[in-house]
Amino acid sequence: MSATHVIVIGGGYAGAMAANRLRRHPDIAVSLINPRPQFIERIRLHQYVAGNHPAAVDFATLLDPGVQLVVDAATEIDPGRRRVGLTSGRSLTYDCLVYAAGSRSASTATVAGATEFAYPLAEFEDAQRLRAALAATPQDAPVCVVGGGLTGIEAATELAEAGRPVTLICGGRLAPSIGARARRSTARTLRRLAVTVREADSVSAVGTETLTLADGTELPSAITVWTVGFGVPTLAAAAGLTTDDLGRVVTDATLTSVDDPRIVAAGDAVAPEGRPLRMSCQAAEPLGAQAADTVAARLTGRTPAALDQAMVAQCISLGRRRGTVQLARRDDTPLAAFVAGRPAAAIKEAICRGTVWAIRREARSPGSYRWLKGGIRLAPAEQEELV
């Protein structure tokens, strides 16, 4: 029997996990398409910007030796011909495809000057540009971080701890995804780090040295960091696959595209039954493992298992010495309980290390990864056979 070829698009937390897990089936040949030869620890990009962590790991230390790493970017999916087009002009054919293209910064086009003058912080190249800009800017120059979610808070506190004067513009509420008690604790740490928090303000324009708030107030900003939301690549929608409003692939309960039984999706770019999980490595790695199991089941004529995973917490680093860990129910709704200060910072660091450790362990022993279940469950649907 000839090897079945599975292509994984995207080498993030979901894609790397899926590629390694597929290698427990020796008759499956796996190609992982990623635009760079390093795995990027996206949850450490704020550390990279401040010079506290490289945030990049050589794939040679993370992938099963049987996974073929294709350093290129996918530009087109042709489901009819089972083909993926690449930036280099090459194309690869597949028997099954795992779509783990991840996410990126949301569009800045709706805010004047944001595309030209603000620095997003969603991808490694974004972080490299921001780090270079900070290096060329005086230490006492004002920095504004736009976006009061977890990414914005982490960026603001990391830069403030490094001695930068930082203003955090939340656009409504600080850390809206966590509970009230954890939010108050986080706000206290921001004050301790001298971060100016403008919770209700939003930005209407960004300039080279200033930004303008919706009420017309001008703030000095030598560097404006943009962390307002995430979008996803348009690759799936361009291929004619059903996607949600953000562009995530709509799948059934087994993470299989509702349009094509040979396409399975995972990570930030999937909406199982139209109900996406929170974008996070906590969701992505189990999704990657389950996507791999679905592919293997479908290729061998077995019924794939339906999505079943649980969430645990939301973890926020507040510089290198403090943090907030918002504990959560298995369905990801926040509890009243949380951890703060140095213990939270230690938990966050352990989790960051653990995500890479889990991918590396799966490479050494494919199929060994386990995840918490019983929080987000979907019912299996009747499966179309592969022909």
Side-chain angles (χ1 to χ4, degrees), residues 3-81:
T4 300
H5 188 210
V6 177
I7 289 177
V8 180
I9 295 179
Y13 296 97
M17 177 61 74
N20 281 339
R21 194 171 184 86
L22 283 165
R23 287 298 300 154
R24 68 173 167 168
H25 305 280
D27 57 338
I28 295 179
V30 182
S31 296
L32 176 64
I33 300 172
N34 196 66
R36 58 187 77 83
Q38 301 90 16
F39 172 85
I40 301 305
E41 293 189 71
R42 191 171 179 182
I43 55 178
R44 291 192 187 273
L45 287 182
H46 59 288
Q47 289 182 250
Y48 172 82
V49 164
N52 294 326
H53 199 279
V57 180
D58 193 326
F59 269 121
T61 71
L62 279 186
L63 293 180
D64 181 287
V67 175
Q68 179 192 18
L69 177 64
V70 180
V71 182
D72 212 330
T75 57
E76 177 192 13
I77 301 170
D78 184 341
R81 296 165 63 187

Side-chain angles (χ1 to χ4, degrees), residues 239-295:
L241 300 176
T242 300
T243 59
D244 68 4
D245 291 343
L246 200 63
R248 293 170 287 213
V249 177
V250 176
T251 71
D252 66 12
T254 71
L255 303 178
T256 304
S257 164
V258 296
D259 305 295
D260 190 330
R262 292 183 178 273
I263 298 178
V264 176
D268 289 353
V270 64
E273 294 191 340
R275 295 178 286 168
L277 282 69
R278 175 167 54 86
M279 290 182 178
S280 62
C281 62
Q282 183 180 177
E285 289 193 345
L287 285 168
Q290 290 173 95
D293 290 349
T294 289
V295 168

Side-chain angles (χ1 to χ4, degrees), residues 72 75 83 85-91:
D72 212 330
T75 57
R83 184 183 67 85
L86 305 174
T87 298
S88 63
R90 297 172 58 202
S91 63

Side-chain angles (χ1 to χ4, degrees), residues 151-230:
T151 302
I153 292 168
E154 291 191 326
T157 52
E158 202 79 31
L159 293 173
E161 193 176 74
R164 297 272 181 180
V166 178
T167 298
L168 177 63
I169 302 163
C170 299
R173 174 180 274 189
L174 176 72
S177 63
I178 66 176
R181 293 178 64 221
R183 187 178 304 116
R184 288 194 293 271
S185 174
T186 301
R188 285 194 294 272
T189 301
L190 285 162
R191 287 195 294 272
R192 189 177 295 123
L193 290 169
V195 175
T196 300
V197 178
R198 302 187 69 118
E199 191 164 11
D201 289 322
S202 58
V203 175
S204 62
V206 179
T208 54
E209 295 291 334
T210 62
L211 57 77
T212 305
L213 302 179
D215 64 3
T217 302
E218 264 196 6
L219 298 179
S221 182
I223 299 284
T224 298
V225 184
W226 199 264
T227 68
V228 184
F230 289 95

